[in-house]
Amino acid sequence: MKTVEPIREIRTIRIMRSYLRDQSLRNELLFILGINVGLRISDILKLTFDDVINFKNMNAKEYVIITENKTSKTKKFYIGSIVSKLIEGYAATLEEVLPHMYVFCSKKSKNKPISRQHAWYILNNAAEMIGLVERDHDGKIICGEIGTHTMRKTFGYHAYTSGTTIELLMEIFNHSSKLQTLKYIGITEDQKKEVYLSSNLG
């Protein structure tokens, strides 16, 4: 399995968001929430409306507390204004919103979220349609590797390049070393590339 990379360009993020919005508000929310909270896809897909909506006023909550699927640890994350507006807008389009309903509900069953594989398909298909992923004649990916982990890595990459300390990101991602976090969000590869490109000896 190839390692997926973060989406580094803000312009590409916006194009991807626009494409997903044309598909559905659910798919747009999946992407925007994913790149803004840095959760694993397993934790995103198990979110219910009770987790993210204040049912007294139907506004998005300021923060969410979950138990991580992989680590079984309690995690608290905050919801910014872009994600809040999307959650509220998406909820307003549904016939009914009940606390136990999954946010990313499968169209085949109201009692199940979309699968991890379907989430991968949504993101990968969008990436291919906007030219982020290229395939050869046999359908094999030859350029760009996008997956559900791309969202989490994109969150980390842009947080770091915007000034968030590596120590804080280590805590958010529950990593054991700075190098692990830098490698995870694609910074080490960027740094290596810069070394090669800035070396113009001769």
Side-chain angles (χ1 to χ4, degrees):
M1 184 176 172
K2 292 182 179 179
T3 302
V4 299
E5 292 293 321
I7 301 175
R8 291 171 169 82
E9 301 295 328
I10 295 295
R11 179 177 178 273
T12 304
I13 289 173
R14 290 175 178 157
I15 293 171
M16 183 115 160
R17 177 183 181 179
S18 178
Y19 180 85
L20 288 165
R21 184 192 303 128
D22 290 342
Q23 287 184 334
S24 71
L25 288 178
R26 183 198 70 183
N27 291 357
E28 179 188 11
L29 176 59
L30 174 69
F31 178 62
I32 294 300
L33 185 141
I35 65 173
N36 279 284
V37 299
L39 293 179
R40 295 179 181 87
I41 191 64
S42 57
D43 293 320
I44 290 174
L45 296 181
K46 72 176 185 181
L47 289 172
T48 65
F49 279 106
D50 192 42
D51 292 322
V52 300
I53 290 279
N54 184 334
F55 277 83
K56 289 182 180 179
N57 54 24
M58 293 305 288
N59 289 338
K61 291 181 178 178
E62 180 184 356
Y63 63 85
V64 177
I65 298 175
I66 63 167
T67 301
E68 289 184 315
N69 195 53
K70 183 176 181 179
T71 66
S72 297
K73 292 182 179 180
T74 299
K75 182 180 182 71
K76 180 178 182 179
F77 67 91
Y78 293 84
I79 297 177
S81 59
I82 290 176
V83 178
S84 292
K85 288 176 184 176
L86 273 178
I87 290 171
E88 292 164 8
Y90 173 54
T93 66
L94 302 176
E95 290 182 10
E96 63 175 350
V97 178
L98 301 173
H100 67 275
M101 288 173 56
Y102 289 104
V103 176
F104 302 104
C105 189
S106 168
K107 293 177 181 177
K108 295 178 181 178
S109 172
K110 289 187 176 181
N111 299 319
K112 291 183 179 180
I114 61 173
S115 67
R116 185 188 185 110
Q117 291 77 15
H118 189 61
W120 178 89
Y121 173 79
I122 288 169
L123 298 171
N124 214 266
N125 178 65
E128 187 172 351
M129 290 299 102
I130 68 169
L132 200 55
V133 170
E134 293 180 26
R135 298 179 185 272
D136 61 18
H137 296 296
D138 298 322
K140 186 177 179 181
I141 294 174
I142 56 174
C143 179
E145 191 72 24
I146 299 296
T148 53
H149 238 45
T150 295
M151 297 188 293
R152 184 167 152 91
K153 291 187 175 189
T154 298
F155 164 79
Y157 178 87
H158 287 279
Y160 181 76
T161 56
S162 296
T164 302
T165 65
I166 197 65
E167 290 83 4
L168 183 53
L169 280 175
M170 278 174 61
E171 186 177 336
I172 289 172
F173 286 139
N174 196 26
H175 286 166
S176 58
S177 72
K178 293 179 183 179
L179 183 59
Q180 181 186 9
T181 302
L182 289 168
K183 185 176 180 181
Y184 181 81
I185 62 179
I187 297 297
T188 50
E189 193 59 37
D190 284 354
Q191 291 170 335
K192 285 189 283 186
K193 179 180 177 181
E194 183 62 30
V195 170
Y196 285 108
L197 296 181
S198 62
S199 178
N200 292 304
L201 301 175

